[in-house]
Amino acid sequence: MQKILVIGGSRYFGKHLVTLLRDAGDEVTVLNRGSAAPPPGVGRLVADRDDAAQLLEALGARTFDTVVDQVCYTPLQAAVARRVFAGRTERYVMTSTMEVYDPAPPTPEARAYAEGKRRAEAVFRGGPEAGGPVAGRPETGGPETGGPAGGGPFYGGPAPFGFAAVRTAHVLGGGREEFTGRLAHYVGRIAAGTPVDVHAAAYATSFIHHREIARFLQWAAGQSFTGAVDAASHGALDVLGLCELVADRVGRPARHRVVEQGAPASPFSFDRSYALDNSRAAGLGFGFGRVADWLPGAITAELAEMAR
């Protein structure tokens, strides 16, 4: 049994993670701003993670075997956590994103999100806090694919705990739980006969089911590896393949409309390859599922939600 703190854990796959850890017999505590109560059998701490003094007061003398951080988005948040949890935990797992490799499409919002995650990882590692994209493309990245390029300042030397960054693929599934609406975009448009906006060439990207990423984070909490690891189901899929799967479930053909170069397209239509390499995680012992096995069920769940 481990003592595990989950920062966040109040929605989507974070909720699944918390119940998985609890049901496995771990002593689980959730820390958030009090937006939602945890499930039965799970402890609760209320604090603003950006406020170091408030965080220290909420934690008291508590220590943990592992902290799983679901909601770290900025280097400031990472700096506060690094300082507060030094000496309180042996392992720290941050939920990161494939966007750290260079977001696609590179909108200002996506770049800001990716830069925040990238610099947060760097603060935890004790590496350069500022700089450009992570070295290595996602399709060839994975194990220890560098840190931010450039000569940013170092943050306090090596990490005070074993640190791992889980760079997750696009998370899908769960019907109304999937709050981004990206899969619903396809289901709704194809069901209505509305064209889906796509690029002239179809490039593959990576996905993972919401319950699979929860299982992965549960597994990662109990491991000893450090550094970056990519989490993605087997079987990268391009936008046309996604549309075909949706069309098959909806029962009507998908229509496409090719956008001009540089124009916005539907989610998951990219102008370059944007797939992750999950080989490090697989080599460490995690068994990923296949997109083709779970995505049809996720589409059916979206259809059922639309029919409500």
Side-chain angles (χ1 to χ4, degrees):
M1 180 186 76
Q2 286 200 95
K3 292 171 61 180
I4 298 178
L5 177 70
V6 178
I7 303 177
S10 62
R11 65 176 181 170
Y12 204 26
F13 60 85
K15 295 192 300 183
H16 301 318
L17 169 64
V18 169
T19 56
L20 283 172
L21 292 167
R22 179 201 63 187
D23 294 348
D26 292 313
E27 181 183 324
V28 187
T29 303
V30 168
L31 185 148
N32 54 37
R33 288 179 292 185
S35 56
V42 173
R44 183 185 193 186
L45 298 174
V46 177
D48 182 346
R49 64 160 307 146
D50 295 345
D51 187 327
Q54 190 180 116
L55 193 52
L56 284 166
E57 182 178 359
L59 289 167
R62 294 176 180 84
T63 60
F64 305 93
D65 298 303
T66 303
V67 174
V68 182
D69 193 340
Q70 289 283 87
V71 288
C72 186
Y73 300 108
T74 69
L76 174 61
Q77 291 175 331
V80 169
R82 178 183 161 120
R83 184 166 69 252
V84 167
F85 287 101
R88 290 179 180 270
T89 187
E90 297 178 2
R91 181 164 178 75
Y92 202 104
V93 178
M94 172 187 164
T95 302
S96 191
T97 174
M98 67 188 293
E99 273 76 16
V100 300
Y101 290 110
D102 190 13
T107 63
E109 295 80 10
R111 286 192 179 279
Y113 172 72
E115 182 68 7
K117 284 286 194 180
R118 185 161 49 234
R119 294 179 66 195
E121 286 187 28
V123 169
F124 279 121
R125 281 197 315 270
E129 183 184 336
V134 173
R137 290 302 306 266
E139 65 271 19
T140 59
E144 312 301 342
T145 55
F154 279 74
Y155 186 91
F161 32 61
F163 172 69
V166 175
R167 295 172 178 168
T168 182
H170 307 296
V171 183
L172 293 180
R176 68 170 60 186
E177 293 183 67
E178 201 276 283
F179 58 89
T180 68
R182 294 176 297 184
L183 185 56
H185 169 91
Y186 287 92
V187 175
R189 292 181 79 87
I190 293 172
T194 305
V196 175
D197 292 337
V198 300
H199 291 93
Y203 291 98
T205 191
S206 295
F207 299 95
I208 191 166
H209 192 264
H210 66 130
R211 293 192 180 274
E212 184 171 34
I213 188 58
R215 291 195 301 272
F216 186 87
L217 289 165
Q218 178 197 20
W219 170 81
Q223 302 298 306
S224 59
F225 70 84
T226 58
V229 62
D230 293 345
S233 300
H234 296 303
L237 189 68
D238 65 37
V239 66
L240 300 183
L242 174 59
C243 286
E244 288 177 10
L245 286 173
V246 173
D248 182 66
R249 288 281 158 163
V250 169
R252 67 182 305 169
R255 298 174 58 207
H256 308 112
R257 179 170 55 205
V258 176
V259 301
E260 296 181 1
Q261 185 70 25
S266 291
F268 312 132
S269 181
F270 301 110
D271 59 1
R272 55 188 164 86
S273 181
Y274 205 57
L276 289 177
D277 177 357
N278 66 10
S279 60
R280 185 184 187 212
L284 288 166
F286 187 83
F288 289 102
R290 299 194 64 81
V291 173
D293 292 334
W294 59 257
L295 186 51
I299 296 167
T300 298
E302 285 291 349
L303 281 168
E305 187 61 32
M306 289 174 59
R308 290 170 64 96

